[in-house]
Amino acid sequence: MSGFPTPTDTVTPRQPRGQERVITANRQTSWAFADAYVAEDEALHWARDRAREAGLRSVSPGTGAALRLLAASVDAKAVAEIGTGCGVSGIHLLHGMRPDGVLTTVDQEPEHQQSARQAFRDAGFAGNRARFIPGPALDVLPRLADSGYDLVFCDGDRREYQDYLAESLRLLRPGGLVAFEGVFANGRTMDSGPQPTEVLRLRELVRAVRESQELVSSLLPVGDGLLCAVKR
């Protein structure tokens, strides 16, 4: 089609082992196209607006599309979400889950959860499709059932991601999937300079997931980086 590169335009030489590919403008355009691949409806736009007003970060459209795909790929009936926000990621997850699936979503701010509840209703989901639990994640997660979840999505305090990983391994059934949002930290995770504690914790998380014998993992370049892993 006119305006799209031909296969010969996009072929790049094989890179030596350990050498990074240069991020070209063409690849940036491709990522932007992928990020806009799934059109978002009015309920999602409303939830994004509420999040912006509250000073919250929401998952990108590309990350949301990936979450839908991941939920569908494991035929998710039970999903745990750490970080409700105003419901953007929750709507995407619910779209990918089974029609009888239940999203358990945890957040410290009940008022944000009220916005998410409204967004879910506007998106057409029945009230029994989501269970809202207010409170700190590390207080709530130990109360959830062992091996009771098909997918765990982590979008809370980046400094606690290692603890979320430990809880996720307990919560997930074999074959279940865990995903961590924001692992690129706006490029700081790959920056060799001095970094804040949050970024150092993200580096530790990426290393732990990659080296775990319990997990099969991949780092998806959508949004601000989505680290995904399947429990063996």
Side-chain angles (χ1 to χ4, degrees):
M1 292 186 293
S2 176
F4 286 84
T6 65
T8 54
D9 292 328
T10 58
V11 172
T12 55
R14 185 179 181 87
Q15 301 294 310
R17 186 181 298 274
Q19 180 175 327
E20 297 290 339
R21 289 185 176 183
V22 175
I23 299 177
T24 65
N26 195 44
R27 291 178 69 192
Q28 290 175 331
T29 301
S30 298
W31 286 340
F33 179 79
D35 204 40
Y37 177 70
V38 172
E40 295 193 330
D41 60 18
E42 287 303 315
L44 277 163
H45 290 312
W46 185 89
R48 285 191 183 282
D49 288 344
R50 299 294 80 70
R52 193 176 302 112
E53 291 168 1
L56 301 176
R57 56 196 172 199
S58 299
V59 298
S60 74
T63 301
L67 292 174
R68 290 191 191 205
L69 177 67
L70 294 173
S73 69
V74 295
D75 194 27
K77 184 175 182 179
V79 172
E81 177 186 46
I82 302 167
T84 309
C86 291
V88 175
S89 54
I91 290 175
H92 281 291
L93 287 165
L94 284 164
H95 276 303
M97 294 169 64
R98 290 168 45 169
D100 60 343
V102 175
L103 173 69
T104 297
T105 183
V106 180
D107 201 290
Q108 293 195 74
E109 302 295 338
E111 62 270 27
H112 296 162
Q113 292 189 320
Q114 286 300 320
S115 294
R117 194 186 302 272
Q118 179 63 51
F120 293 174
R121 283 197 298 266
D122 291 347
F125 297 110
N128 62 359
R129 292 292 310 280
R131 177 171 62 144
F132 295 88
I133 305 180
L138 294 180
D139 290 344
V140 174
L141 294 176
R143 307 202 303 263
L144 303 183
D146 292 3
S147 304
Y149 293 85
D150 304 299
L151 190 155
V152 178
F153 174 56
C154 304
D155 190 17
D157 188 335
R158 310 293 196 251
R159 296 167 297 180
E160 297 179 346
Y161 269 14
Q162 285 270 42
D163 297 309
Y164 299 168
L165 174 61
E167 287 294 331
S168 296
L169 289 172
R170 179 185 62 79
L171 294 173
L172 287 171
R173 62 166 174 80
L177 192 149
V178 61
F180 295 88
E181 160 65 1
V183 294
F184 289 166
N186 294 316
R188 291 177 298 165
T189 304
M190 290 73 73
D191 192 328
S192 59
Q195 297 295 339
T197 300
E198 174 181 307
V199 175
L200 299 179
R201 294 289 182 269
L202 287 172
R203 289 176 179 170
E204 293 169 1
L205 171 77
V206 171
R207 186 180 305 112
V209 170
R210 183 180 59 197
E211 297 176 355
S212 173
Q213 298 301 306
E214 295 182 75
L215 298 168
V216 178
S217 63
S218 181
L219 180 51
L220 305 184
V222 292
D224 198 23
L226 188 66
L227 179 62
C228 307
V230 175
K231 179 179 176 181
R232 293 184 184 274

